[in-house]
């Protein structure tokens, strides 16, 4: 990763190289947090770790900028831990293997953590500089953004002095974000009853692999395959005819990532084995036709395994298959107010088999509360019909757009002055933390910017090197243009 440190801008990439070297998946950010704290204190900066684990680092203004409004640059400490099935990697102990591929930085077989490591690196690089011009500066690094926004929920009034917040968690250069979706987790618990597996059967793992996955907000409108839903579709079409019996179902690993892989362990009567193999081949060909443009590497496979002691009863299995098959997934509605932006969506992210139940974790996102509530109502009705239970938790608010935002105008005008073109003012269908910050700081003026990051939340994640330089130049120019306090 030493090659990263030679990229422009060097201070940012040097920090990003350090961030990659220190494991920091969601809920395991402490090692990185301590590294940053020790560094900041050695620099003579004021450092506070709040009661949930967020870091607030404060730096005085550069000479001549003491009367400017206080700005907080905000990023999150954690990254999404996703890897390819054939990659041997422990996110709690192994560094990210970042490398340069043309004008992109990628990782070998895992998520890169450019979301939000680049934003974090930019904030730390500014804190470490004696040359960058800025007013009184604060940096807020939150924990657990990707797995529940625990850090953002824990931000309290009085912790920050800033009047302006610059969020660095956007993922498209040339776009300025002034609003985002809110969301809520939905957890189905489907009760199951087991019975002894038959003797005259063969058992297989049926797997869907090779999907792109990605961010369940940013990428949800692209029509990518959801591995959980694809397997449910196959089972709905074939389980009865082929007398399949399910022993377990597992798919996805995060509720906010489109599931790339899923596996169902099932038994089939020996006399129907050939028909199962044919059905799998036919279904694979069908999906490869339907999803050719978006999932060119899609693959279905059968691997024989040891027959388990028990499988689901017929009634339990029927309920489970049809619940998964009929459950909504993907884009529910596009926004009427912001062209090309998803208003409401649902991601069936994780399915896991427990002792007495099958659990299904979903994430609902919406720009409007009523959109989120409508999907909650749909899932509640589905659970009632299926004799299942659904719980909703971790609801977080959206960030209501403010077209008259002064800091948004500064960023827009600065971008136009630097690059001689208009940026795109956007609302993002993802859960930025800004909406939560509006609770303790309702008058804080907010904007979100960032470089171009492709395929976040999946092993194909990459960040464009040129746009990192552009983002850096924009951020520094905006800091220099922050107005004086009234």
């Amino acid at each position: 990763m030493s090659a990263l440190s030679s990229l422009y801008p060097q201070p940012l990439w040097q920090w990003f190289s350090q961030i990659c070297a220190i494991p920091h998946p969601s809920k395991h950010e402490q090692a990185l947090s301590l590294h940053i704290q020790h560094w900041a204190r050695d620099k003579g900066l004021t450092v506070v770790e709040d009661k949930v684990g967020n870091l607030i680092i404060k730096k005085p203004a550069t000479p001549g900028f003491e009367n400017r409004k206080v700005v907080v640059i905000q990023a999150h400490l954690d990254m999404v831990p996703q890897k390819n099935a054939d990659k041997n990697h422990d996110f709690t102990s192994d560094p990210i293997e970042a490398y340069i591929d043309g004008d992109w930085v990628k990782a070998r077989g895992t998520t890169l953590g450019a979301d939000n490591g680049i934003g974090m690196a930019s904030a730390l690089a500014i804190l470490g500089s004696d040359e960058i011009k800025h007013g009184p500066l604060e940096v807020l690094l939150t924990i657990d953004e990707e797995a529940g926004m625990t850090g953002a929920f824990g931000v309290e009034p009085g912790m920050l002095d800033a009047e302006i917040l610059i969020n660095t968690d956007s993922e498209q250069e040339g776009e300025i974000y002034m609003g985002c979706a809110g969301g809520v987790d939905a957890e189905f618990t489907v009760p199951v009853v087991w019975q002894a597996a038959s003797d005259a059967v063969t058992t297989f793992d049926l797997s869907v692999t090779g999907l792109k996955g990605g961010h369940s907000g940013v990428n949800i409108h692209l029509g990518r395959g959801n591995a959980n839903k694809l397997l449910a579709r196959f089972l709905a079409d074939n389980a009865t005819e082929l007398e399949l019996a399910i022993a377990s179902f597992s798919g996805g690993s995060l509720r906010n990532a489109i599931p790339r892989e899923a596996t169902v362990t099932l038994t089939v009567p020996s006399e129907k084995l050939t028909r199962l193999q044919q059905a799998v081949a036919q279904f694979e060909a069908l999906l490869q036709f339907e999803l050719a443009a978006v999932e060119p590497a899609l693959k279905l496979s059968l691997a024989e395994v040891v027959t388990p002691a028990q499988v689901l009863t017929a009634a339990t299995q029927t309920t489970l298959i049809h619940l998964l098959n009929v459950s909504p997934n993907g884009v529910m509605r596009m926004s009427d107010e912001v062209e090309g932006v998803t208003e409401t969506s649902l991601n069936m992210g994780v399915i896991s088999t427990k002792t007495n139940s099958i659990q299904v974790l979903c994430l609902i996102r919406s720009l409007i509360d009523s959109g989120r509530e409508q999907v909650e109502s749909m899932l509640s009705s589905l659970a009632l019909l299926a004799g299942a239970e659904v719980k909703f938790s971790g609801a977080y608010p959206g960030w209501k757009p403010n077209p008259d935002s002064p800091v948004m105008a500064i960023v827009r005008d600065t971008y136009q002055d630097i690059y001689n073109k208009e940026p795109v003012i956007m609302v993002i269908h993802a859960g930025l933390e800004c909406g939560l910050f509006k609770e303790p700081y309702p008058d804080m003026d907010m904007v979100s910017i960032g470089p171009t990051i492709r395929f976040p939340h999946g092993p194909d994640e990459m960040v464009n090197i040129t746009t990192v330089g552009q983002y850096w130049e924009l951020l520094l120019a905006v800091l220099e243009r922050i107005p004086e306090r009234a």
Side-chain angles (χ1 to χ4, degrees):
M1 290 191 296
S2 60
L4 297 186
S5 299
S6 65
L7 297 174
Y8 171 81
Q10 278 190 307
L12 185 156
W13 286 107
Q14 287 167 357
W15 259 113
F16 186 68
S17 182
Q18 293 182 58
I19 290 167
C20 288
I22 303 172
H24 58 286
S26 300
K27 305 189 185 299
H28 298 275
E29 307 97 325
Q30 190 62 19
L32 179 57
S33 175
L34 289 173
H35 177 78
I36 293 170
Q37 290 182 57
H38 292 155
W39 169 83
R41 291 191 174 102
D42 286 345
K43 293 286 292 183
L45 302 172
T46 301
V47 183
V48 175
E49 182 179 19
D50 71 10
K51 63 184 181 182
V52 299
N54 300 317
L55 294 185
I56 300 98
I57 308 172
K58 300 187 179 186
K59 180 184 179 184
T62 51
F65 285 73
E66 293 86 354
N67 292 327
R68 302 294 179 95
K69 291 184 176 181
V70 182
V71 173
V72 57
I73 302 174
Q74 188 267 321
H76 59 82
L77 281 159
D78 61 320
M79 66 171 286
V80 169
Q82 286 272 285
K83 67 183 185 68
N84 290 323
D86 60 354
K87 178 67 175 180
N88 184 18
H89 185 93
D90 184 343
F91 282 96
T92 64
S93 59
D94 298 336
I96 299 299
E97 300 170 35
Y99 68 97
I100 300 169
D101 182 4
D103 199 29
W104 297 87
V105 171
K106 304 177 180 180
R108 301 191 189 281
T110 70
T111 36
L112 172 64
D115 170 16
N116 185 218
I118 293 292
M120 183 177 7
S122 68
L124 295 170
I126 292 169
L127 287 176
S129 172
D130 296 325
E131 300 174 357
I132 295 170
K133 298 177 181 179
H134 57 77
L137 187 65
E138 300 175 325
V139 167
L140 171 62
L141 303 178
T142 53
I143 64 160
D144 200 34
E145 190 269 353
E146 301 288 8
M149 294 198 178
T150 306
F153 274 110
V155 172
E156 297 180 347
M159 293 169 56
L160 302 171
D161 298 319
E163 299 176 58
I164 294 169
L165 182 141
I166 300 175
N167 171 277
T168 64
D169 202 13
S170 297
E171 293 161 355
Q172 181 61 52
E173 192 280 328
E175 295 181 353
I176 301 170
Y177 291 92
M178 63 172 183
C180 73
V184 66
D185 294 335
E187 179 179 350
F188 279 104
T189 300
V190 186
V192 298
V193 179
W194 301 96
Q195 64 183 8
S198 173
D199 293 331
V201 295
T202 307
T203 304
F204 292 91
D205 280 347
L206 171 60
S207 300
V208 178
T209 58
L211 302 179
K212 290 181 179 178
H215 192 296
S216 70
V218 175
N219 302 130
I220 199 70
H221 66 290
L222 298 178
R224 294 177 180 172
N226 179 310
N228 293 328
K229 290 290 291 182
L230 296 181
L231 277 188
R233 177 181 170 184
F234 176 84
L235 293 169
D237 291 344
N238 295 280
T240 299
E241 178 186 350
L242 298 178
E243 299 179 45
L244 305 177
I246 296 174
S248 70
F249 196 132
S250 62
S253 59
L254 295 167
R255 91 269 190 264
N256 60 350
I258 302 169
R260 302 162 37 252
E261 300 175 348
T263 298
V264 59
T265 303
L266 47 84
T267 68
V268 60
S270 299
E271 67 271 17
K272 296 198 174 186
L273 173 57
T274 299
R275 180 68 191 98
L276 171 62
Q277 294 168 332
Q278 292 171 343
V280 170
Q282 291 169 359
F283 189 60
E284 180 184 55
L286 176 64
L287 294 182
Q288 288 173 343
F289 170 74
E290 290 181 350
L291 301 175
V294 291
E295 298 289 7
L298 180 152
K299 182 180 179 181
L300 266 71
S301 60
L302 279 172
E304 187 171 354
V305 296
V306 175
T307 297
Q310 58 184 14
V311 295
L312 299 180
T313 63
T316 296
Q317 178 170 301
T318 297
T319 298
L320 173 67
I321 289 173
H322 292 295
L323 182 149
L324 296 177
N325 191 43
V326 78
S327 176
N329 181 77
V331 175
M332 299 289 103
R333 194 170 192 276
M334 299 299 290
S335 174
D336 292 331
E337 295 184 352
V338 187
E339 185 177 356
V341 172
T342 304
E343 178 200 275
T344 305
S345 73
L346 174 67
N347 179 55
M348 184 187 287
V350 185
I351 299 177
S352 55
T353 302
K354 308 297 183 182
T355 302
N356 297 311
S357 66
I358 305 288
Q359 290 187 327
V360 184
L361 301 181
C362 305
L363 177 57
I364 305 169
R365 300 181 189 265
S366 186
L367 300 179
I368 57 176
D369 289 344
S370 60
R372 185 194 73 210
E373 291 162 358
Q374 180 192 11
V375 179
E376 289 182 20
S377 177
M378 293 168 65
L379 297 187
S380 295
S381 296
L382 179 58
L384 182 64
L385 289 171
E389 180 183 18
V390 64
K391 293 182 179 179
F392 303 99
S393 62
Y396 56 90
W399 168 25
K400 185 178 180 180
N402 176 16
D404 299 320
S405 161
V407 70
M408 188 268 288
I410 292 172
V411 177
R412 179 197 63 210
D413 294 345
T414 303
Y415 186 93
Q416 187 169 11
D417 289 346
I418 294 174
Y419 300 112
N420 197 31
K421 62 179 179 180
E422 285 269 4
V424 180
I425 309 300
M426 290 287 292
V427 175
I428 190 171
H429 189 69
L432 299 178
E433 296 162 286
C434 298
L436 288 170
F437 300 144
K438 278 289 186 181
E439 296 292 321
Y441 300 95
D443 298 325
M444 189 176 284
D445 192 15
M446 301 181 182
V447 71
S448 181
I449 56 175
T452 297
I453 298 173
R454 293 281 183 259
F455 316 127
H457 295 193
D460 294 328
E461 180 186 4
M462 63 182 80
V463 61
N464 184 265
I465 296 167
T466 298
T467 65
V468 172
Q470 293 171 318
Y471 155 73
W472 174 256
E473 292 167 356
L474 176 63
L475 179 59
L476 299 196
V478 167
L479 290 176
E480 195 168 347
R481 292 190 180 192
I482 295 297
E484 293 188 355
R485 286 169 281 187

